[in-house]
Amino acid sequence: MTFGLVSTKLRMCPITTKYRLKFATPEDDKRRAVAFLISNNIRATANTAFKKLSKDHQLWLQIRFEYWISGQRPNKKWFHGWNLSEFQGKYTKCFVFKCREKLQYHRFYGFLRNPKASNPGYQVCVLVIHAYKEGYETDEADLKGVEELRTSPIIIRTIDDYFRGKP
Amino acid sequence: MKIKSKKKHWTERSIRDYLFRIVADFITQLETKMESLPISQDEYAKKLGVTKGRVSQLLNHPGNFKLENIIKYARALGMKVSVIAYDDNDPQNTRGPINSEIFKMCWEQSGKPRDFWAFEDINKQAEVAANLTINVIHVNVGVPFYLPISIGQITGWNFENVSTYYVEKTVSTQIEIKDQDQLEWIQ
């Protein structure tokens, strides 16, 4: 009887997937920003994983974010994207920030978007997926997951709505 | 009316956080140097006389670095260290410290002056470069001089009639006057 009741309630109240952005760097930077995608979508794991890192490792990543927004050249050890020669150019909008915590290698995958109509060069890196890695090789499944979120109309709308009208 | 103050950078929370950031910048410079040499973490540990684990531990925990270690770790890679205090018009620290790599790049782009004399010489060379704007140049033959941007942009001269050799030289921002002919041509 109880099971039936719960089951009915679940069917009656479909869970809506919600998204919002949480900025890890100042929003008023003229060129770049890094933000986490916050969502009840279980695939958006980056923010939760970031919060579970030790304080020192959070700072390490924070510094990597700041390097990227300050225009520091990408380095395979800290952060990078994928160019046209990799994976047949399918993931040129994907990006990753890396950090190592003891023997665990963390990867925070995201995607790049230029959301400001008034400032087309402005770029935001939206971090979405977290993964543990053992080596340098990229697991394409992670990038596919990022691409699915990157091209999701509701996520695109969330980002663009946030930046609409901002200089 | 209360004026909303701008949010402070996270390095303003504590001295330890500030130290973490500037040592992290230093470690990033070490890692870049290790890659460019190249030198493995094993070899680096041997040079330092410590275990690889110790190197890894220190490189992953910037908060544990002491100034003595900063010097030791830099010297082991043939590098030197300076501690720089500066005023970037941000007394509340809303934007965080400037990356030490920026200071290094500026120093390198200024011709790596070793002392104040060298810095003065560089300023004189810059004056020479600035004089190009009125098509007058005072430069010693054989002495290289530097331009902050391409010569074409400074002078507005048309380079179409210039020898290929010279145009190639303008691709970089450094031009060396090798002989009297070139000097006369510029004058």
Side-chain angles (χ1 to χ4, degrees):
Chain A
M1 184 67 181
T2 311
F3 171 77
L5 188 64
V6 171
S7 164
T8 308
K9 273 189 177 175
L10 281 175
R11 256 186 271 125
M12 285 170 64
C13 308
I15 297 168
T16 318
T17 312
K18 291 179 179 172
Y19 297 99
R20 67 182 173 87
L21 296 177
K22 186 177 94 178
F23 283 80
T25 59
E27 292 175 50
D28 59 355
D29 190 274
K30 286 177 189 156
R31 292 188 177 86
R32 286 177 172 172
V34 177
F36 287 99
L37 186 73
I38 311 290
S39 175
N40 52 355
N41 180 342
I42 54 167
R43 290 159 70 204
T45 52
N47 182 55
T48 310
F50 181 78
K51 286 196 289 191
K52 284 182 184 166
L53 290 175
S54 71
K55 190 201 165 193
D56 278 8
H57 290 88
Q58 285 186 6
L59 290 185
W60 258 125
L61 265 176
Q62 179 69 37
I63 291 166
R64 304 266 194 262
F65 298 159
E66 291 179 6
Y67 283 176
W68 180 70
I69 67 164
S70 71
Q72 189 149 337
R73 281 187 185 169
N75 180 308
K76 290 277 177 192
K77 283 172 81 173
W78 314 322
F79 53 82
H80 64 87
W82 285 266
N83 60 32
L84 285 168
S85 68
E86 298 164 292
F87 300 108
Q88 295 91 46
K90 286 187 281 185
Y91 306 112
T92 55
K93 292 283 184 187
C94 293
F95 208 78
V96 66
F97 285 94
K98 305 175 176 183
C99 87
R100 183 185 156 192
E101 191 176 35
K102 291 178 184 163
L103 296 175
Q104 286 184 321
Y105 293 83
H106 296 273
R107 299 288 183 270
F108 290 83
Y109 293 99
F111 58 84
L112 304 174
R113 186 160 180 83
N114 300 68
K116 290 186 178 178
S118 60
N119 182 4
Y122 180 88
Q123 210 169 30
V124 59
C125 178
V126 182
L127 298 175
V128 287
I129 290 175
H130 167 264
Y132 291 111
K133 294 278 294 181
E134 286 180 2
Y136 273 109
E137 286 298 305
T138 302
D139 184 349
E140 194 177 356
D142 293 328
L143 296 182
K144 279 183 182 167
V146 174
E147 269 299 292
E148 282 172 24
L149 294 170
R150 183 183 79 81
T151 52
S152 152
I154 184 169
I155 293 176
I156 291 171
R157 198 166 59 239
T158 301
I159 299 168
D160 291 355
D161 282 352
Y162 183 86
F163 284 100
R164 185 160 293 119
K166 295 201 172 162
Chain B
M1 193 174 80
K2 196 177 175 183
I3 297 168
K4 195 180 170 188
S5 63
K6 213 174 172 190
K7 199 179 170 192
K8 287 180 180 173
H9 190 259
W10 61 268
T11 51
E12 197 60 15
R13 287 190 304 232
S14 67
I15 296 294
R16 190 192 179 274
D17 280 351
Y18 201 108
L19 182 71
F20 193 102
R21 167 61 203 251
I22 58 175
V23 176
D25 289 351
F26 168 72
I27 290 171
T28 302
Q29 289 187 306
L30 292 184
E31 287 179 336
T32 305
K33 183 71 174 176
M34 284 170 73
E35 266 183 24
S36 69
L37 285 173
I39 180 174
S40 68
Q41 225 173 70
D42 271 331
E43 292 170 289
Y44 192 30
K46 274 182 198 160
K47 277 183 172 240
L48 288 160
V50 297
T51 63
K52 186 185 169 187
R54 177 65 184 149
V55 172
S56 176
Q57 192 189 25
L58 219 47
L59 294 184
N60 283 296
H61 295 88
N64 297 345
F65 251 100
K66 291 192 168 69
L67 192 55
E68 288 88 339
N69 279 331
I70 286 178
I71 295 166
K72 190 176 160 189
Y73 274 61
R75 294 300 303 128
L77 293 174
M79 298 167 87
K80 293 183 183 176
V81 178
S82 289
V83 178
I84 303 163
Y86 56 92
D87 180 354
D88 65 348
N89 287 326
D90 179 26
Q92 300 299 314
N93 192 15
T94 59
R95 298 191 297 268
I98 291 175
N99 193 326
S100 48
E101 185 66 11
I102 298 283
F103 290 105
K104 180 173 159 270
M105 286 165 69
C106 290
W107 175 72
E108 286 174 351
Q109 285 195 359
S110 298
K112 298 187 176 182
R114 286 207 55 81
D115 52 32
F116 297 98
W117 299 115
F119 193 69
E120 233 174 68
D121 289 345
I122 287 161
N123 280 340
K124 279 180 192 161
Q125 287 162 0
E127 277 174 33
V128 167
N131 278 340
L132 281 171
T133 53
I134 51 168
N135 297 356
V136 176
I137 183 165
H138 304 283
V139 62
N140 294 324
V141 174
V143 176
F145 68 94
Y146 303 91
L147 302 175
I149 50 173
S150 85
I151 188 171
Q153 284 170 284
I154 282 189
T155 64
W157 290 352
N158 183 352
F159 279 90
E160 282 175 11
N161 299 322
V162 177
S163 71
T164 310
Y165 169 77
Y166 210 85
V167 171
E168 277 173 4
K169 278 290 181 187
T170 63
V171 172
S172 78
T173 55
Q174 181 181 338
I175 297 170
E176 193 175 337
I177 304 298
K178 285 186 174 168
D179 53 44
Q180 194 62 37
D181 286 350
Q182 275 189 6
L183 185 62
E184 280 173 4
W185 180 86
I186 285 177
Q187 286 171 328

